[in-house]
């Protein structure tokens, strides 16, 4: 910032000296503090104000301007500089306030989901959860794992929109899932409970003037058998990595997102796929699949998973997170949630069942 200010000053004064025209350019330096106030700190704006006043006085003396003209120009620069400092102070305070709100919202978002890894008698769930703080508002990505007598139920979902209202919808869905996962005998029953929670939340939102929101979700039921049941409500289908190969699971045509069941003539149905022991299942939100590089190309998730399947390099979620940042060349512009699921070790599974026979 200082180097740029000195460079601009040098260019303007040099042109004034070289051209020698009747129209002087150095008074234009009055706008330098305003430029600094939009980009820099308060002290930098004050320093720029002092700098242009000194340059104006020395330049006026050098070109032998009238003393009254020099003092008048210096006075205008001082007044304009003070206004620039006040404007910069207001901008910095606003930015700090917005940053605090973003950080608080992101902290709340982290609190509504449990930290990874999570273990049940059937699976070990690990991954990466990164709510974005640099964007205008945080989003509503979420996940949950519930161990019940019906098996392990897993949820990954993404609320439409951003901000605290989106987090409110995420809280409603999570609360409903945590209850229904233990209560409902069928996976479609769990999804119906989630649908009802979103409908109730949207009804409340309509009363308070908030827009209605839909939720994409993928709900899984994992037991001791190698077959997993899934209900896909407009979400990204899972990927399975096994024996050096990686492929996205074909769950058929996805059902409508949560909150839109009344608009669909077909009820939501479950689909089944194989998840053998030794395989890794990957679930993610659109913060991964819709990430773009500087040229606008989407992140090639399936190709990256195939490369990982051939030559594993350690933690899959961490490796994908690092690769995603390198691919985009910047910090994520959307929430990123990546879950990796593996079958639980038989010994650990037996220990968990002994500790809680209900599982």
């Amino acid at each position: 910032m200082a180097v740029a200010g000195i460079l601009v000053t040098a260019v303007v004064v040099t042109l004034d000296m070289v051209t020698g025209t009747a129209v002087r350019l150095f008074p234009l330096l009055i706008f330098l503090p305003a430029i600094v106030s939009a980009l820099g700190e308060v002290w930098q704006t004050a320093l720029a104000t002092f700098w242009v006043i000194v340059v104006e006085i020395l330049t006026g003396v050098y070109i032998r301007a009238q003393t009254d003209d020099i003092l008048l120009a210096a006075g205008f620069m001082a007044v304009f500089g003070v206004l620039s400092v006040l404007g910069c102070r207001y901008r910095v305070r606003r930015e700090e306030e917005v940053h605090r709100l973003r950080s608080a919202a992101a902290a709340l978002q982290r609190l509504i989901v449990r930290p990874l890894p999570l273990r049940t008698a059937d699976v070990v769930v690990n991954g990466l959860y990164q709510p974005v703080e640099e964007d205008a508002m945080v989003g509503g990505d979420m996940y949950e794992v519930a161990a019940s007598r019906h098996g392990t139920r897993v949820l990954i979902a993404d609320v439409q929109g951003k901000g605290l209202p989106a987090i409110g919808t995420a809280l409603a869905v999570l609360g409903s899932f945590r209850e229904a996962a233990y209560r409902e005998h069928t996976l479609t029953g769990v999804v119906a409970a989630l649908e009802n929670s979103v409908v109730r939340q949207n009804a409340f939102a309509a009363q308070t003037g908030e827009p209605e929101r839909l939720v994409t979700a993928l709900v899984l039921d994992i037991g001791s058998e190698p077959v997993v049941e899934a209900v896909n409500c407009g979400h990204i289908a899972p990927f399975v990595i096994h024996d050096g190969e990686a492929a996205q699971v074909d769950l058929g045509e996805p059902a409508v997102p949560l909150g839109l069941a009344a608009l669909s003539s077909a009820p939501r149905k479950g689909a089944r796929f194989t998840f053998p022991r030794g395989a890794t299942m990957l679930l993610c939100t659109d913060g991964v699949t819709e990430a773009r590089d500087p040229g606008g190309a989407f992140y090639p998730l399936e190709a990256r998973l195939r490369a990982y399947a051939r030559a594993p390099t350690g933690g899959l979620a961490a490796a994908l997170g690092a690769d995603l940042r390198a691919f985009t060349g910047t910090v994520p512009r959307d929430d990123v949630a990546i879950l990796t699921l593996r079958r639980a070790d038989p010994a650990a599974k037996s220990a968990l069942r002994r500790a809680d026979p209900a599982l």
Side-chain angles (χ1 to χ4, degrees):
M1 187 72 71
V3 175
I6 294 173
L7 182 60
V8 170
T9 303
V11 171
V12 171
V13 173
T14 300
L15 288 174
D16 242 349
M17 302 292 184
V18 172
T19 59
T21 59
V23 179
R24 294 295 179 181
L25 300 177
F26 72 87
L28 295 176
L29 292 175
I30 192 174
F31 297 107
L32 185 60
I35 296 173
V36 175
S37 71
L39 303 174
E41 302 293 336
V42 173
W43 69 269
Q44 292 174 322
T45 307
L47 183 61
T49 300
F50 176 77
W51 170 258
V52 297
I53 292 174
V54 171
V55 171
E56 188 278 332
I57 293 174
L58 294 178
T59 306
V61 171
Y62 180 81
I63 64 175
R64 298 178 181 176
Q66 295 293 326
T67 302
D68 292 343
D69 293 338
I70 295 174
L71 294 178
L72 182 61
F76 272 113
M77 287 185 171
V79 171
F80 200 76
V82 170
L83 293 176
S84 298
V85 169
L86 294 176
C88 182
R89 184 182 179 188
Y90 175 79
R91 176 187 63 80
V92 170
R93 285 186 174 180
R94 289 285 295 177
E95 289 179 351
E96 290 175 347
E97 180 180 355
V98 170
H99 179 71
R100 284 196 298 270
L101 289 174
R102 290 175 186 166
S103 299
L108 174 61
Q109 192 176 5
R110 289 190 180 95
L111 287 175
I112 68 176
V113 296
R114 293 188 291 162
L116 298 167
L118 299 171
R119 293 179 173 84
T120 72
D122 301 299
V123 292
V124 177
V125 182
N126 211 331
L128 173 69
Y129 181 65
Q130 186 176 358
V132 64
E133 298 182 38
E134 289 77 11
D135 204 353
M137 292 182 291
V138 295
D141 287 13
M142 64 186 123
Y143 63 86
E144 182 58 290
V145 179
S148 73
R149 64 183 184 276
H150 310 296
T152 296
R153 268 78 186 264
V154 179
L155 166 72
I156 185 167
D158 186 1
V159 179
Q160 177 191 28
K162 295 180 180 293
L164 291 177
I167 296 179
T169 302
L171 280 169
V173 172
L174 281 175
S176 178
F177 176 79
R178 287 163 179 164
E179 178 184 359
Y182 293 95
R183 182 188 69 236
E184 298 294 334
H185 293 274
T186 65
L187 196 61
T188 51
V190 175
V191 174
L194 301 183
E195 171 71 23
N196 291 336
S197 70
V198 175
V199 171
R200 288 193 300 269
Q201 186 73 12
N202 282 338
F204 176 76
Q207 295 175 0
T208 58
E210 289 288 339
E212 296 183 0
R213 300 176 186 275
L214 58 86
V215 181
T216 65
L218 178 66
V219 188
L220 305 178
D221 193 343
I222 306 173
S224 57
E225 299 298 322
V227 176
V228 173
E229 184 181 4
V231 176
N232 186 3
C233 304
H235 200 76
I236 302 162
F239 295 82
V240 173
I241 305 168
H242 187 54
D243 288 341
E245 297 181 354
Q248 191 168 26
V249 175
D250 182 9
L251 297 178
E253 188 68 22
V256 295
L258 299 175
L260 298 181
L263 303 180
S264 175
S265 58
R268 296 186 176 101
K269 297 180 180 179
R272 295 178 180 273
F273 64 94
T274 302
F275 178 39
R277 187 168 301 281
T280 299
M281 187 193 311
L282 182 132
L283 314 178
C284 67
T285 56
D286 60 8
V288 178
T289 57
E290 295 184 3
R292 296 173 182 256
D293 68 6
F298 286 104
Y299 182 69
L301 175 60
E302 191 163 358
R304 293 296 201 268
L305 291 179
R306 291 195 191 102
Y308 178 89
R310 291 190 295 269
T313 57
L316 175 56
L320 282 179
D323 186 61
L324 190 65
R325 288 190 295 272
F327 179 83
T328 58
T330 182
V331 295
R333 303 305 299 172
D334 195 4
D335 296 340
V336 172
I338 303 172
L339 298 183
T340 58
L341 291 74
R342 291 183 64 85
R343 293 282 183 181
D345 179 81
K349 181 174 181 178
S350 299
L352 282 172
R353 292 199 182 277
R354 286 194 300 271
D356 188 353
L359 298 181

